[in-house]
Amino acid sequence: MKIYFVRHGQTEHNKAGKVTGHIESVLTPEGIAQAQKTATELPPDFSIIYSSDLIRCKQTAEILNQKLQLPVIFDPRLRERNFGSLEGKSWSEIGEDIREVDKNQQYDYRPFGGEYVEDVKKRIFDFIREISRTEKGKKVLVVTSAGVIRLLHNILNGEVHEHVHNAAVHEFDFPEKF
């Protein structure tokens, strides 16, 4: 099943170079414009939108849906990785070593009370298996965060994506028995 993933538009935390994770951060005017531009480029044949329940993803999904006019389901399984006590700090504050661990999706690392990547992987794959059953034959759009998209690129394609652009669309083809 092909599923299309969109990263949320730029947020205040993105602009300030801060780790966001589960912290709420609203879209900037540029983030709103990014989502509006993506909306104009989306084909009209999607059947449903799923979105993380974090405000940045909700805002992006609502902007995309101004064109698509579809049901939107908010699901906490689509949240970014929880970075624990690192959330809200700037990337420069937390150091290069931790950035390398995050970029390379190392699975045995729990950032200061946050989630193991394996925990994120489990909840994302549970979501994918569920919608593969419930939305079979439909074209599905998912709004989430960069970490989720990086994780999927890493696991499905063996690729490391250091930067996932705001409001960019990523297509993933999941095997039937995922």
Side-chain angles (χ1 to χ4, degrees):
M1 176 177 189
K2 284 187 183 179
I3 304 174
Y4 298 81
F5 285 75
V6 175
R7 182 184 180 197
H8 59 77
Q10 181 192 65
T11 67
E12 294 293 339
H13 271 95
N14 295 151
K15 187 175 179 178
K18 293 184 177 183
V19 178
T20 308
H22 286 196
I23 290 177
E24 294 287 24
S25 185
V26 298
L27 298 183
T28 62
E30 182 177 346
I32 292 168
Q34 290 167 338
Q36 289 170 334
K37 181 178 185 300
T38 298
T40 65
E41 297 167 352
L42 288 174
D45 59 343
F46 286 99
S47 301
I48 192 163
I49 300 172
Y50 284 88
S51 173
S52 162
D53 63 342
L54 294 171
I55 190 68
R56 58 191 178 266
C57 296
K58 283 181 170 181
Q59 287 178 297
T60 301
E62 289 165 358
I63 292 167
L64 299 176
N65 205 29
Q66 289 172 2
K67 172 187 177 183
L68 299 172
Q69 298 294 301
L70 297 171
V72 179
I73 298 173
F74 299 105
D75 192 320
R77 293 177 293 180
L78 295 169
R79 286 182 173 198
E80 175 66 276
R81 181 179 182 185
N82 181 333
F83 287 94
S85 63
L86 299 179
E87 292 183 354
K89 295 182 178 179
S90 71
W91 284 104
S92 60
E93 284 179 273
I94 64 173
E96 190 61 34
D97 291 342
I98 294 173
R99 290 175 60 176
E100 280 300 307
V101 169
D102 178 55
K103 178 179 78 177
N104 292 315
Q105 301 289 316
Q106 292 182 9
Y107 299 118
D108 61 350
Y109 175 70
R110 180 184 292 273
F112 302 86
E115 287 180 288
Y116 285 115
V117 172
E118 283 295 329
D119 296 336
V120 180
K121 179 181 168 183
K122 181 187 179 326
R123 64 179 161 85
I124 296 300
F125 288 3
D126 285 348
F127 166 81
I128 292 165
R129 281 190 289 275
E130 181 182 310
I131 66 163
S132 292
R133 286 189 315 273
T134 61
E135 307 298 343
K136 192 171 187 158
K138 296 180 182 176
K139 191 169 179 180
V140 176
L141 183 64
V142 174
V143 181
T144 188
S145 300
V148 170
I149 294 169
R150 270 198 309 272
L151 178 71
L152 292 172
H153 276 296
N154 187 294
I155 292 170
L156 296 173
N157 306 324
E159 301 170 352
V160 174
H161 285 246
E162 186 170 347
H163 186 74
V164 175
H165 295 283
N166 292 103
V169 180
H170 300 259
E171 178 184 326
F172 294 100
D173 198 359
F174 295 92
E176 192 171 314
K177 294 202 176 192
F178 187 73

